[in-house]
Amino acid sequence: MKLLFLTRHAKSSWDDPSLDDHDRPLNPRGRRNASEMGVRLAAWSNKPKTIITSSAVRAKTTALLIAEQLPHSPPMIIKSDVYTEDWETLVKIVERFDDDKDSVMLVGHNPAFNEFLAHIPFEIDNLPTCGVAVIALYSQSWSNWSTADKQVLFLDYPKRLKP
């Protein structure tokens, strides 16, 4: 079995409208949420062993802030093709993961992540910012993503535990 931690980037800042979408940073709430989600993930028995993130500033920062809270500091790989609106591109990325890695976090963007989840299938209107959907792939190879059984095991996001 493989575990995919599908993680949407945290809240981004819109303070500077002249910035290219790719260059938008996190806002203060997003920075707090990413660290908080890292703390939550650190408490889980299964943690991502590798983090693959979009090249967008907000995604890279989310990945870094989460990784800083994990006890084993997983390596982070930046891939520009994760910066996409196309869920099928994400499938191709996942199917190329190294089979030696049983648990991988993918940090990226909507709408691609919403569509990716819909094709598992998993019904969610919108994966919240900094939300993490943990997906089990019932196969020994990531290359079987499209054909193997899979299931969303858990969904967590910053506001889930707020009163």
Side-chain angles (χ1 to χ4, degrees):
M1 182 175 82
K2 307 288 187 193
L3 290 177
L4 175 64
F5 294 74
L6 192 71
T7 306
R8 183 177 173 200
H9 66 78
K11 280 274 186 211
S12 59
S13 173
W14 292 89
D15 289 346
D16 184 351
S18 69
L19 279 179
D20 182 74
D21 181 70
H22 189 269
D23 298 328
R24 281 190 294 115
L26 294 181
N27 69 19
R29 178 177 145 203
R31 295 183 70 79
R32 284 190 310 273
N33 287 166
S35 291
E36 176 187 335
M37 291 305 294
V39 169
R40 289 188 200 177
L41 285 169
W44 295 3
S45 58
N46 288 307
K47 301 167 192 60
K49 304 284 189 305
T50 301
I51 298 175
I52 298 174
T53 180
S54 156
S55 56
V57 170
R58 61 194 181 277
K60 290 188 299 187
T61 306
T62 300
L64 181 64
L65 291 169
I66 288 173
E68 286 176 349
Q69 301 302 320
L70 298 176
H72 60 288
S73 299
M76 193 166 79
I77 301 165
I78 299 167
K79 294 184 66 68
S80 60
D81 52 349
V82 179
Y83 181 68
T84 183
E85 294 182 0
D86 179 22
W87 72 274
E88 291 171 313
T89 298
L90 297 177
V91 169
K92 291 174 188 167
I93 291 166
V94 169
E95 289 180 336
R96 291 191 306 262
F97 285 174
D98 183 346
D99 286 334
D100 290 342
K101 296 173 182 22
D102 288 334
S103 60
V104 177
M105 176 179 280
L106 185 64
V107 182
H109 313 270
N110 275 345
F113 276 22
N114 285 340
E115 286 295 314
F116 187 90
L117 285 168
H119 285 86
I120 290 190
F122 182 71
E123 290 189 32
I124 185 171
D125 290 335
N126 185 45
L127 180 61
T129 52
C130 214
V132 180
V134 182
I135 306 161
L137 172 67
Y138 298 107
S139 173
Q140 293 303 310
S141 178
W142 292 105
S143 65
N144 295 327
W145 183 269
S146 294
T147 57
D149 289 336
K150 48 199 159 298
Q151 172 184 15
V152 175
L153 300 177
F154 192 75
L155 174 65
D156 197 6
Y157 49 93
K159 289 186 177 181
R160 188 179 72 82
L161 299 179
K162 302 286 187 215

